[in-house]
Amino acid sequence: MPELPEVEALAAYLRERAVGRTADRLEVVAISALKTYDPPPSAVAGLEITAAGRHGKFLDVTFGGEIHLVVHLARAGWLHYRESFPAATPLKPGKGPIAVRVRLDDGSGFDLTEAGTKKSLAAYLVRDPAEVPGVSRLGPDALAVDLATFTARITSRRGQIKGVLTDQEILAGIGNAYSDEILHVAKLSPFALTNKLSAEQIARLFEAMRAVETDAVTRSVGQRAAELKGEKRSGFRVHARTGLPCPVCGDTVREVSFADTSLQYCPTCQTGGKPLADRRLSRIVR
């Protein structure tokens, strides 16, 4: 799933390539992807793209300074920029991975796509991003908070730190992948309880969050959209590295699996050398 660094990089790429161009038309290929009906897709035709940014993990492209295309790419969504399209004829709904296509006046544009059969990509055409339910519920951006705000947000909800850190109403932008990385750098178990964290541990977690996210943004911004996924994977220490050696201590990176996701961690760095039990099979070892 694209997280804060990748969405920031996609927005930066659009600012460089698309801002200042005029929209020729917006085509909705996957009807279920568009969650709004007013304004209609036809409303962006002839409007200049004036901005591109993000709200947490939501991408926001502004047309004419008044209409926002807000997109949550979900787990398998992505943005593909095209210097040209093979044909000017409209795409047929239900064919292929393309959910939305934006054509620009110079013949270029971008596709919002979603791989796989489970379609969760969500696009909204709104006059105010706050009209999007997911945006209106977001907590402060992970890279915008100071230590005091971070402490207040993290301790406002009792639970395992992995889940609290990825709760978008607590902090916006952190997902499954970078939370694994942040907890590894902070040397904290993903199952540590927020109400039992010391002030020193929270401060360490804050610094780890800033370091991991800032480094990922630095590495990602400036990359072409097609290169971002590879760049993301290349920086991982533990996420998606089950069975490989930890780059810090050499211990084997382990995994805990859930129904539809998993987490990775280093026992030596994070849990005092104790493996965490797979929640599907036995009691959690903290």
Side-chain angles (χ1 to χ4, degrees), residues 226-243:
E227 299 166 348
L228 279 171
K229 291 182 181 180
E231 182 62 37
K232 177 179 181 178
R233 289 191 294 268
S234 71
F236 288 155
R237 300 168 178 84
V238 291
H239 184 75
R241 288 176 51 85
T242 303

PDB file of all heavy atoms in Angstrom, residues 226-243:
ATOM      1  N   ALA A 226       7.172   5.142 -11.824  1.00  0.00           N
ATOM      2  CA  ALA A 226       7.439   3.736 -12.105  1.00  0.00           C
ATOM      3  C   ALA A 226       8.568   3.171 -11.256  1.00  0.00           C
ATOM      4  O   ALA A 226       8.697   1.954 -11.108  1.00  0.00           O
ATOM      5  CB  ALA A 226       7.773   3.560 -13.591  1.00  0.00           C
ATOM      6  N   GLU A 227       9.398   4.048 -10.675  1.00  0.00           N
ATOM      7  CA  GLU A 227      10.562   3.589  -9.910  1.00  0.00           C
ATOM      8  C   GLU A 227      10.325   3.586  -8.405  1.00  0.00           C
ATOM      9  O   GLU A 227      11.157   3.092  -7.644  1.00  0.00           O
ATOM     10  CB  GLU A 227      11.755   4.510 -10.224  1.00  0.00           C
ATOM     11  CG  GLU A 227      12.153   4.514 -11.695  1.00  0.00           C
ATOM     12  CD  GLU A 227      13.090   5.651 -12.040  1.00  0.00           C
ATOM     13  OE1 GLU A 227      13.257   6.563 -11.191  1.00  0.00           O
ATOM     14  OE2 GLU A 227      13.664   5.628 -13.145  1.00  0.00           O
ATOM     15  N   LEU A 228       9.200   4.123  -7.971  1.00  0.00           N
ATOM     16  CA  LEU A 228       8.998   4.335  -6.546  1.00  0.00           C
ATOM     17  C   LEU A 228       8.879   3.051  -5.741  1.00  0.00           C
ATOM     18  O   LEU A 228       9.383   2.964  -4.622  1.00  0.00           O
ATOM     19  CB  LEU A 228       7.750   5.193  -6.314  1.00  0.00           C
ATOM     20  CG  LEU A 228       7.952   6.697  -6.487  1.00  0.00           C
ATOM     21  CD1 LEU A 228       6.618   7.418  -6.450  1.00  0.00           C
ATOM     22  CD2 LEU A 228       8.874   7.235  -5.408  1.00  0.00           C
ATOM     23  N   LYS A 229       8.210   2.042  -6.297  1.00  0.00           N
ATOM     24  CA  LYS A 229       8.026   0.804  -5.538  1.00  0.00           C
ATOM     25  C   LYS A 229       9.365   0.135  -5.248  1.00  0.00           C
ATOM     26  O   LYS A 229       9.607  -0.361  -4.145  1.00  0.00           O
ATOM     27  CB  LYS A 229       7.097  -0.143  -6.292  1.00  0.00           C
ATOM     28  CG  LYS A 229       5.659   0.338  -6.369  1.00  0.00           C
ATOM     29  CD  LYS A 229       4.766  -0.657  -7.091  1.00  0.00           C
ATOM     30  CE  LYS A 229       3.344  -0.158  -7.180  1.00  0.00           C
ATOM     31  NZ  LYS A 229       2.445  -1.114  -7.885  1.00  0.00           N
ATOM     32  N   GLY A 230      10.237   0.117  -6.235  1.00  0.00           N
ATOM     33  CA  GLY A 230      11.556  -0.467  -6.032  1.00  0.00           C
ATOM     34  C   GLY A 230      12.371   0.320  -5.035  1.00  0.00           C
ATOM     35  O   GLY A 230      13.090  -0.251  -4.209  1.00  0.00           O
ATOM     36  N   GLU A 231      12.261   1.638  -5.082  1.00  0.00           N
ATOM     37  CA  GLU A 231      12.981   2.488  -4.148  1.00  0.00           C
ATOM     38  C   GLU A 231      12.483   2.252  -2.726  1.00  0.00           C
ATOM     39  O   GLU A 231      13.279   2.205  -1.776  1.00  0.00           O
ATOM     40  CB  GLU A 231      12.794   3.955  -4.530  1.00  0.00           C
ATOM     41  CG  GLU A 231      13.547   4.930  -3.634  1.00  0.00           C
ATOM     42  CD  GLU A 231      15.048   4.743  -3.670  1.00  0.00           C
ATOM     43  OE1 GLU A 231      15.588   4.433  -4.748  1.00  0.00           O
ATOM     44  OE2 GLU A 231      15.689   4.888  -2.604  1.00  0.00           O
ATOM     45  N   LYS A 232      11.188   2.077  -2.576  1.00  0.00           N
ATOM     46  CA  LYS A 232      10.618   1.812  -1.254  1.00  0.00           C
ATOM     47  C   LYS A 232      11.188   0.517  -0.677  1.00  0.00           C
ATOM     48  O   LYS A 232      11.670   0.489   0.450  1.00  0.00           O
ATOM     49  CB  LYS A 232       9.102   1.726  -1.360  1.00  0.00           C
ATOM     50  CG  LYS A 232       8.394   1.387  -0.043  1.00  0.00           C
ATOM     51  CD  LYS A 232       6.878   1.337  -0.246  1.00  0.00           C
ATOM     52  CE  LYS A 232       6.156   1.019   1.053  1.00  0.00           C
ATOM     53  NZ  LYS A 232       4.689   1.011   0.896  1.00  0.00           N
ATOM     54  N   ARG A 233      11.154  -0.555  -1.453  1.00  0.00           N
ATOM     55  CA  ARG A 233      11.628  -1.856  -0.958  1.00  0.00           C
ATOM     56  C   ARG A 233      13.117  -1.832  -0.626  1.00  0.00           C
ATOM     57  O   ARG A 233      13.561  -2.506   0.313  1.00  0.00           O
ATOM     58  CB  ARG A 233      11.338  -2.940  -1.995  1.00  0.00           C
ATOM     59  CG  ARG A 233       9.869  -3.293  -2.136  1.00  0.00           C
ATOM     60  CD  ARG A 233       9.682  -4.548  -2.976  1.00  0.00           C
ATOM     61  NE  ARG A 233      10.091  -4.326  -4.360  1.00  0.00           N
ATOM     62  CZ  ARG A 233       9.271  -3.938  -5.325  1.00  0.00           C
ATOM     63  NH1 ARG A 233       8.000  -3.696  -5.053  1.00  0.00           N
ATOM     64  NH2 ARG A 233       9.715  -3.773  -6.560  1.00  0.00           N
ATOM     65  N   SER A 234      13.880  -1.060  -1.375  1.00  0.00           N
ATOM     66  CA  SER A 234      15.337  -1.073  -1.182  1.00  0.00           C
ATOM     67  C   SER A 234      15.759  -0.516   0.169  1.00  0.00           C
ATOM     68  O   SER A 234      16.862  -0.804   0.642  1.00  0.00           O
ATOM     69  CB  SER A 234      16.017  -0.276  -2.300  1.00  0.00           C
ATOM     70  OG  SER A 234      15.765   1.123  -2.158  1.00  0.00           O
ATOM     71  N   GLY A 235      14.904   0.282   0.792  1.00  0.00           N
ATOM     72  CA  GLY A 235      15.280   0.881   2.063  1.00  0.00           C
ATOM     73  C   GLY A 235      14.835   0.122   3.288  1.00  0.00           C
ATOM     74  O   GLY A 235      15.147   0.522   4.417  1.00  0.00           O
ATOM     75  N   PHE A 236      14.128  -0.990   3.122  1.00  0.00           N
ATOM     76  CA  PHE A 236      13.588  -1.709   4.276  1.00  0.00           C
ATOM     77  C   PHE A 236      14.676  -2.442   5.056  1.00  0.00           C
ATOM     78  O   PHE A 236      15.577  -3.047   4.477  1.00  0.00           O
ATOM     79  CB  PHE A 236      12.533  -2.719   3.829  1.00  0.00           C
ATOM     80  CG  PHE A 236      11.235  -2.107   3.388  1.00  0.00           C
ATOM     81  CD1 PHE A 236      10.401  -2.786   2.513  1.00  0.00           C
ATOM     82  CD2 PHE A 236      10.825  -0.865   3.855  1.00  0.00           C
ATOM     83  CE1 PHE A 236       9.201  -2.231   2.098  1.00  0.00           C
ATOM     84  CE2 PHE A 236       9.629  -0.299   3.451  1.00  0.00           C
ATOM     85  CZ  PHE A 236       8.819  -0.991   2.566  1.00  0.00           C
ATOM     86  N   ARG A 237      14.531  -2.401   6.378  1.00  0.00           N
ATOM     87  CA  ARG A 237      15.405  -3.153   7.275  1.00  0.00           C
ATOM     88  C   ARG A 237      14.762  -4.483   7.677  1.00  0.00           C
ATOM     89  O   ARG A 237      15.426  -5.507   7.713  1.00  0.00           O
ATOM     90  CB  ARG A 237      15.710  -2.333   8.530  1.00  0.00           C
ATOM     91  CG  ARG A 237      16.405  -1.003   8.270  1.00  0.00           C
ATOM     92  CD  ARG A 237      16.396  -0.145   9.542  1.00  0.00           C
ATOM     93  NE  ARG A 237      17.090   1.117   9.381  1.00  0.00           N
ATOM     94  CZ  ARG A 237      16.560   2.221   8.873  1.00  0.00           C
ATOM     95  NH1 ARG A 237      15.293   2.205   8.467  1.00  0.00           N
ATOM     96  NH2 ARG A 237      17.249   3.323   8.775  1.00  0.00           N
ATOM     97  N   VAL A 238      13.463  -4.432   8.000  1.00  0.00           N
ATOM     98  CA  VAL A 238      12.781  -5.653   8.444  1.00  0.00           C
ATOM     99  C   VAL A 238      11.521  -5.950   7.638  1.00  0.00           C
ATOM    100  O   VAL A 238      11.184  -7.122   7.431  1.00  0.00           O
ATOM    101  CB  VAL A 238      12.421  -5.593   9.951  1.00  0.00           C
ATOM    102  CG1 VAL A 238      13.673  -5.660  10.810  1.00  0.00           C
ATOM    103  CG2 VAL A 238      11.589  -4.349  10.278  1.00  0.00           C
ATOM    104  N   HIS A 239      10.799  -4.933   7.217  1.00  0.00           N
ATOM    105  CA  HIS A 239       9.535  -5.183   6.519  1.00  0.00           C
ATOM    106  C   HIS A 239       9.768  -5.965   5.225  1.00  0.00           C
ATOM    107  O   HIS A 239      10.667  -5.651   4.442  1.00  0.00           O
ATOM    108  CB  HIS A 239       8.822  -3.875   6.197  1.00  0.00           C
ATOM    109  CG  HIS A 239       7.482  -4.097   5.566  1.00  0.00           C
ATOM    110  ND1 HIS A 239       6.381  -4.510   6.290  1.00  0.00           N
ATOM    111  CD2 HIS A 239       7.071  -4.024   4.269  1.00  0.00           C
ATOM    112  CE1 HIS A 239       5.356  -4.654   5.485  1.00  0.00           C
ATOM    113  NE2 HIS A 239       5.744  -4.382   4.248  1.00  0.00           N
ATOM    114  N   ALA A 240       8.956  -7.013   5.049  1.00  0.00           N
ATOM    115  CA  ALA A 240       9.039  -7.878   3.866  1.00  0.00           C
ATOM    116  C   ALA A 240      10.385  -8.579   3.749  1.00  0.00           C
ATOM    117  O   ALA A 240      10.786  -8.983   2.660  1.00  0.00           O
ATOM    118  CB  ALA A 240       8.737  -7.081   2.592  1.00  0.00           C
ATOM    119  N   ARG A 241      11.077  -8.742   4.876  1.00  0.00           N
ATOM    120  CA  ARG A 241      12.401  -9.396   4.865  1.00  0.00           C
ATOM    121  C   ARG A 241      12.425 -10.627   5.777  1.00  0.00           C
ATOM    122  O   ARG A 241      13.453 -10.984   6.337  1.00  0.00           O
ATOM    123  CB  ARG A 241      13.476  -8.399   5.289  1.00  0.00           C
ATOM    124  CG  ARG A 241      13.782  -7.334   4.243  1.00  0.00           C
ATOM    125  CD  ARG A 241      14.790  -6.310   4.754  1.00  0.00           C
ATOM    126  NE  ARG A 241      15.970  -6.934   5.309  1.00  0.00           N
ATOM    127  CZ  ARG A 241      17.036  -7.324   4.597  1.00  0.00           C
ATOM    128  NH1 ARG A 241      17.030  -7.159   3.277  1.00  0.00           N
ATOM    129  NH2 ARG A 241      18.078  -7.859   5.185  1.00  0.00           N
ATOM    130  N   THR A 242      11.298 -11.286   5.923  1.00  0.00           N
ATOM    131  CA  THR A 242      11.220 -12.477   6.767  1.00  0.00           C
ATOM    132  C   THR A 242      12.261 -13.506   6.351  1.00  0.00           C
ATOM    133  O   THR A 242      12.392 -13.837   5.166  1.00  0.00           O
ATOM    134  CB  THR A 242       9.824 -13.116   6.676  1.00  0.00           C
ATOM    135  OG1 THR A 242       8.840 -12.141   7.038  1.00  0.00           O
ATOM    136  CG2 THR A 242       9.716 -14.318   7.593  1.00  0.00           C
ATOM    137  N   GLY A 243      13.018 -13.999   7.345  1.00  0.00           N
ATOM    138  CA  GLY A 243      14.027 -15.023   7.083  1.00  0.00           C
ATOM    139  C   GLY A 243      15.392 -14.483   6.730  1.00  0.00           C
ATOM    140  O   GLY A 243      16.372 -15.246   6.717  1.00  0.00           O
TER     141      GLY A 243
END
